[in-house]
Amino acid sequence: MNTIISIEPGTPMESQVRPGHNRWHPDIPPVASAGRGDRIRVECPDMFDWQIRNDDDASDIAELNMNRAHMVCGPIAVEGARPGDLLVVDILDVGPLPGRAWGYTGIMRPEMGGMLADYFSEPRKAIWDFEGIYATSRHIPGVRFAGQVHPGILAVAPSHELLDRWNSREQALIQTDPDRVPELATVPDPDGAVLGSLSGAEFERVASEAARTLPGRENGGNCDIKNLSRGSRLYMPVFVEGANLSVGDLHFSLADGEATVCGAIEMAGYLDLRVDVIPNGMDVYGTSNPFFVTGPINVEYTERIVFEGFSIEADGTQGFLDAHASYRQACLEAIRYLSRFGYSEEQAYVILSTAPIETRINALGGKPNAVCTMAVPTGIFEGDIKPQSRSNWGTPASVDLASVVAAG
Amino acid sequence: MNTIISIEPGTPMESQVRPGHNRWHPDIPPVASAGRGDRIRVECPDMFDWQIRNDDDASDIAELNMNRAHMVCGPIAVEGARPGDLLVVDILDVGPLPGRAWGYTGIMRPEMGGMLADYFSEPRKAIWDFEGIYATSRHIPGVRFAGQVHPGILAVAPSHELLDRWNSREQALIQTDPDRVPELATVPDPDGAVLGSLSGAEFERVASEAARTLPGRENGGNCDIKNLSRGSRLYMPVFVEGANLSVGDLHFSLADGEATVCGAIEMAGYLDLRVDVIPNGMDVYGTSNPFFVTGPINVEYTERIVFEGFSIEADGTQGFLDAHASYRQACLEAIRYLSRFGYSEEQAYVILSTAPIETRINALGGKPNAVCTMAVPTGIFEGDIKPQSRSNWGTPASVDLASVVAAG
Amino acid sequence: MNTIISIEPGTPMESQVRPGHNRWHPDIPPVASAGRGDRIRVECPDMFDWQIRNDDDASDIAELNMNRAHMVCGPIAVEGARPGDLLVVDILDVGPLPGRAWGYTGIMRPEMGGMLADYFSEPRKAIWDFEGIYATSRHIPGVRFAGQVHPGILAVAPSHELLDRWNSREQALIQTDPDRVPELATVPDPDGAVLGSLSGAEFERVASEAARTLPGRENGGNCDIKNLSRGSRLYMPVFVEGANLSVGDLHFSLADGEATVCGAIEMAGYLDLRVDVIPNGMDVYGTSNPFFVTGPINVEYTERIVFEGFSIEADGTQGFLDAHASYRQACLEAIRYLSRFGYSEEQAYVILSTAPIETRINALGGKPNAVCTMAVPTGIFEGDIKPQSRSNWGTPASVDLASVVAAG
Amino acid sequence: MNTIISIEPGTPMESQVRPGHNRWHPDIPPVASAGRGDRIRVECPDMFDWQIRNDDDASDIAELNMNRAHMVCGPIAVEGARPGDLLVVDILDVGPLPGRAWGYTGIMRPEMGGMLADYFSEPRKAIWDFEGIYATSRHIPGVRFAGQVHPGILAVAPSHELLDRWNSREQALIQTDPDRVPELATVPDPDGAVLGSLSGAEFERVASEAARTLPGRENGGNCDIKNLSRGSRLYMPVFVEGANLSVGDLHFSLADGEATVCGAIEMAGYLDLRVDVIPNGMDVYGTSNPFFVTGPINVEYTERIVFEGFSIEADGTQGFLDAHASYRQACLEAIRYLSRFGYSEEQAYVILSTAPIETRINALGGKPNAVCTMAVPTGIFEGDIKPQSRSNWGTPASVDLASVVAAG
């Protein structure tokens, strides 16, 4: 595996040898390149670029500079990739940096958003220790799980045309409620921008146009799909010459839905990829968004407790086929349930955001309620968290088979 | 297994020996009862109470009486169940009625709603033949899959208080856009109501108050959760003495999300249950909604093509963390993709609504886009539907290991 | 599904309308036929043709007539099948007969053999009740599992040439130790033979030549492969015109290895098949034995306790790469382990013979010991049967995340 | 993770800083120690201690010194472990050494044994490249699979009493056929022995008594169990103070059964463990052999072609419940089948020895034939290797759902 981008732990992204970026723009120049069929390694900082410490004090979360989020490595120009092609990216491996076998999960300040920001208003931090395939936390005893390790961000550069489309549609959304706090979307903002090697006037221009990294979009971006993991093959639309692939936001584990804004187990690490190109693939397969084929290694916890949610707000207000509200209700049900087993509500919230939870949209056909479910694996808890219904299986083993007597 | 409710195929529900119902109300009297630990069989008509024929003509879908939908069997009074308890329901088995090894999926008239009603405005019907664990359709050649057979509806009666809450919150929703067509929610409506053995003035009163069956709610109801299947154990809040369990809407298979309104493979069949009670369980476990523990038999198609969607409407409008919109976009991506392999768009729509598709809420942390995915199993298609990237694995097997010569 | 062979419960096979057989011979005439692509249902008695009762008395096991074992239904002539073809058999469904939701497992008299016949010399019987997908036994409380329902026997008729080969090679084996009790193989024996409609001199001739049904052979036969289950597609060599398919020995569940001779959960039931033919398939695919492709519905218990065995006899004698001895040692280890959790050794033996156990040949490269393992699912036991190592995961959840204080 | 034993690649074991060993004996002194609950890393050479090169020439296999096989690292003394305890070993992670992302599989000289040594008499070598979770080989194009990475050897030191028992039972086996070539078991042999820091007379004594490493035994040893992999928890009997744990023989992948003697993908690598002790565990749980609980990350290829074998030798001789012969026959069936798809027989043999194949003992109840199966995943091959039966699923998708016309 050829390491084409290495990083110096603790050094800010703009000071790395091959500086990355935290905005999307076609004019950020590539810092590395790869040929078709190449196997490459990229090292990545954690999503907050070393702002979070491995300690028991959440003041770093409280004082976080959110403009330094989603720092990604690249762009990497892929030889032969042209607009209209599909870029094929095999995720061969992902893991923590040697000597940094830990990660973190935060509960953010409420103004940063977060699905349950109304309930959890104090900044909090959980540190996770990686023991090979497992994560444990000294802040959440009694739980241990295997991580579905994956990159939160795999993205290509947008074209100018696509960037313009993003900016205009997101600006239009903001205009529907321009005074909302927090705002409905994050607009281009030069403050905190890191744009690789750009500087001077070109930096200013690009920084004022470049899209923010918070949402996933047609170029991939911050998709946070836990099953887009080791062994997956990703197909991404190509919008510029060379595709300009950037990657980062590595997660040791993540629950479907990512209940908290910083809800994964965030880590610095390495990512091994193989890149290839399907010429004219967007037209051949009729796709405008990334799609992927799953791999054969997954975290398997087959027995699960599944919590159901409907489109009802906490104050009883009825929503209309609102899957987000249904997920929130299911999550609150799960938090209350886990609190009966000795976990604090904040601990439960972090578990439901980080562990290998499956969150599904089950039914959108029954207006006004969307039905969503959160499936929590029972095998990640030290004790048995299933409800006890003692009459179910009969009394414990006490009948000797010998009482079934053979006739003389 | 003791059959406590049997049905006569083809006979309307109100004329069955133990007539069921299609509204939720505490005053619908039980038609059967069961003790704690009892194993019971209940037979059920299909969700449209025999309105749909096994033929190649969708006029029955076009002329459907939607007020005769979700006809359920029961209520069944469970001995000893009291408000505040949890009713424990083991789903032991589900299957089609003997001699009726077929089901149907409809694309409804647009005024009935449906996630992609804008795209698919013509009534359509696909008939599925059940071959043991598999379903095939003469209307959609080239696809075959095993069904995760399950009941769409498992529900208990609401209390009067809960029913009032439903009616007021849903009425309040309608008032936010009272002229909308179709309406935002379905209000109590005596037209087409079937209420078991009720008649006369009592029928009139209950029919004018009873909640409609379309949405899932705190009592369970039309949850359409495909993994709440054979082998699962369901825990339901109890709101009235005896719990008053009703069941129906059996599905041979269903995709997470149920893209079309009548999106499952609907069938008439039997349901084998075991019932039990956890006294005071709602308080003990802190739950207000049903929840369940999964069983050990599931449909396993591990390799999947996963389509991603973001909160963007088809006209390019940006939504705000709208998981419904993201699911819709992923679904449209999948339809376009499958159409490249010879399926019509309507066929693809039905496949994506019925096959064992996993639909996930992946990330809600990246405003304004919710990220949702539809994971389509590759193993259900006759041919290989993965993208071909010929340079991936090297050339076909042609190197003889003997060319690795041992030294003389 | 077209029922081409139905049976009358309780009636001996020779008195059924379409009598089956319990020997293999090319001259047993077909009792039914099927075309290519046909879907057919066959009903089958249990393997001992109704000799075993649903009660608490093992005298039926003690007095069993073993010459009435493996009573199969058929032969079924498949249109167009010719020697050298492959017969394709889809197993669409298998289940118990309606109204007979129970099965049995026996520990046989020692002279009948059985892997641990030295240890378990008393005839015993366990009755299992089927509750939908689950089996429980009043004779073995504290265990419940889903069954991988399957036919123990799917077989085609041998040619005369193949039958001769079987008889001569098995006779040669017996001659290596002709006085052994029990004998090394079971020779043709007219006593107890049932040969469909044959009678008179033809019956006598065929009965004296026909192979016994105990072992699996090139024609399939008593293979007892639990994963050759619902949804599988089986490919069988064809040796005679019409293939002459016979089926039976249905099992609700079986452990890999079938520790006891009558080690499955034996039941009477139905079997739904689809048949087809690949002309000249034996040559095309180079195979002489049956092979199959697995289906998508399996019993999933991912967490397992795995017991290891080596080729050492119970008296300490060293064997040579003897996988059978290794399996036996692993089985004895598992029995001792389970006995620590309250199961009697006989109960443990029956569990290890019937539950969804995976038994593997792990390594044959390390002479003189073959390494075999038995993987016992933890989820089938009422209690937790994993060893407790209390220091492993830290103390129970007791640390409040709030103690991780945000700075003022 | 604390690296308690590191190795210098390419340096022979006896010259490492903490030299390991290739014999079992209680008097080999520990080279490292660990406390209860410690997490430790151990680096290991490949099983042949650097004798094999990454090239296209099998002369290294042909000239191999088999007395330098199974070089393991340790012993590691575990604080507090006493005879009669169970040593608890969590396998946290396993992987190749950085910069050595390759492994090898050999077909050995026939005198070294090997299940199919009669068929494959020429030394051969396949080199595998590791691409993250996947292995590919330039010597076997058209196949790629994820590895279930695991250590082939996890073992504790035997007591003097246990060692004596091994030596006497294995010697007795040899005496049953003392002139056999190759011999039935490998006796203590000072030639090539490496015994850690021992030297002089003590080396001579121990070397003449110490057991060879080829077979697995009660102390663990060369068990080659592919599912004893990342995430598993192993329980081992303790025979000496400190347990004296030794590890090695790391495999990137291995088929159940290990058809060739050097049948895994052998590699040098690291192993991360956590150790603990259950006092008096052997008596508490009644076990004399190692056993383990599986972990939640496994290689999942659910669709498999399963080949059946019976206890018949290649020359037609009938064996008696010989599972080894059954496995061999299933393996030969699979080789012939794969050869129809363009693989050479040697390539097929290596695939069946290295890929994630499941090999089961299915039935031992049907004398004289044991039934064993090899389950080959279809997803590891570039093309579709399932038999084609074109009439199965109907014609390709060509019916437009629109032809199902809604009534006017």
Side-chain angles (χ1 to χ4, degrees), chain A residues 366-384:
Chain A
K367 70 180 175 183
N369 280 324
V371 178
C372 291
T373 50
M374 284 193 83
V376 179
T378 58
I380 69 172
F381 297 97
E382 191 179 22
D384 182 359

Side-chain angles (χ1 to χ4, degrees), chain C residues 7-9 42-45 50 95-102 267-270:
Chain C
I7 54 163
E8 181 66 29
V42 180
E43 294 179 350
C44 305
W50 324 106
L97 288 184
R100 289 185 71 92
W102 63 277
M267 68 176 191
Y270 68 89

Side-chain angles (χ1 to χ4, degrees), chain A residues 31-110:
Chain A
V31 294
S33 65
R36 290 184 59 177
D38 282 1
R39 292 158 188 79
I40 57 176
R41 171 165 290 194
V42 179
E43 294 179 349
C44 305
D46 70 280
M47 78 164 283
F48 285 125
D49 205 26
W50 324 106
Q51 294 185 70
I52 307 298
R53 297 178 302 270
N54 182 351
D55 61 20
D56 303 327
D57 177 348
S59 56
D60 45 8
I61 292 285
E63 296 161 3
L64 198 61
N65 178 357
M66 283 291 281
N67 276 339
R68 292 193 61 82
H70 289 130
M71 210 65 83
V72 296
C73 291
I76 301 159
V78 179
E79 166 198 327
R82 309 189 55 167
D85 294 350
L86 284 177
L87 181 68
V88 184
V89 180
D90 281 6
I91 303 179
L92 301 175
D93 201 4
V94 203
L97 288 183
R100 289 184 72 91
W102 63 277
Y104 60 88
T105 305
I107 300 180
M108 314 304 281
R109 299 190 304 268

Side-chain angles (χ1 to χ4, degrees), chain D residues 4-5 18 29-34 42 74-78 244-245:
Chain D
I4 62 168
I5 299 178
R18 296 176 187 268
V31 295
S33 65
V42 179
I76 301 160
V78 178
N244 284 8
L245 173 69

Side-chain angles (χ1 to χ4, degrees), chain B residues 55-59 62-63 107 122-126 138-144 300-302 341-344 346-347 350 379-383 390 393-407, chain D residues 55-59 62-63 107 122-126 138-144 300-302 341-344 346-347 350 379-383 390 393-407:
Chain B
D55 62 20
D56 304 326
D57 177 349
S59 56
E63 296 162 1
I107 301 180
E122 293 300 309
R124 293 285 184 261
K125 183 173 75 178
R138 62 185 179 264
H139 301 127
I140 312 175
V143 67
R144 184 179 80 148
E300 292 176 332
Y301 290 103
T302 48
F341 291 82
Y343 298 96
S344 75
E346 286 173 331
Q347 288 177 322
V350 172
I380 69 173
F381 297 96
E382 191 179 23
R390 300 212 176 274
W393 285 9
T395 51
S398 56
V399 176
D400 191 336
L401 198 65
S403 67
V404 187
V405 184
Chain D
D55 62 19
D56 304 326
D57 178 348
S59 56
E63 295 162 1
I107 300 179
E122 293 300 309
R124 292 286 183 263
K125 182 172 77 177
R138 62 185 179 265
H139 301 126
I140 311 175
V143 66
R144 184 179 80 149
E300 291 177 334
Y301 289 103
T302 48
F341 291 82
Y343 298 96
S344 74
E346 286 173 332
Q347 288 177 322
V350 171
I380 69 172
F381 297 96
E382 191 179 22
R390 300 212 177 274
W393 285 7
T395 51
S398 56
V399 175
D400 190 335
L401 198 66
S403 67
V404 186
V405 184

Side-chain angles (χ1 to χ4, degrees), chain A residues 217-286:
Chain A
R217 297 188 190 89
E218 293 88 335
N219 70 323
N222 184 30
C223 284
D224 287 338
I225 300 171
K226 79 171 199 295
N227 292 82
L228 179 48
S229 175
R230 284 188 284 203
S232 295
R233 175 168 291 175
L234 175 65
Y235 301 85
M236 310 180 78
V238 176
F239 301 108
V240 304
E241 296 286 324
N244 284 8
L245 174 69
S246 297
V247 301
D249 191 22
L250 305 189
H251 300 155
F252 189 82
S253 184
L254 173 64
D256 290 340
E258 194 179 24
T260 83
V261 167
C262 173
I265 300 181
E266 308 286 347
M267 68 175 192
Y270 68 90
L271 181 60
D272 292 346
L273 304 174
R274 184 182 180 284
V275 293
D276 203 347
V277 172
I278 301 179
N280 200 29
M282 289 180 69
D283 185 55
V284 171
Y285 295 107

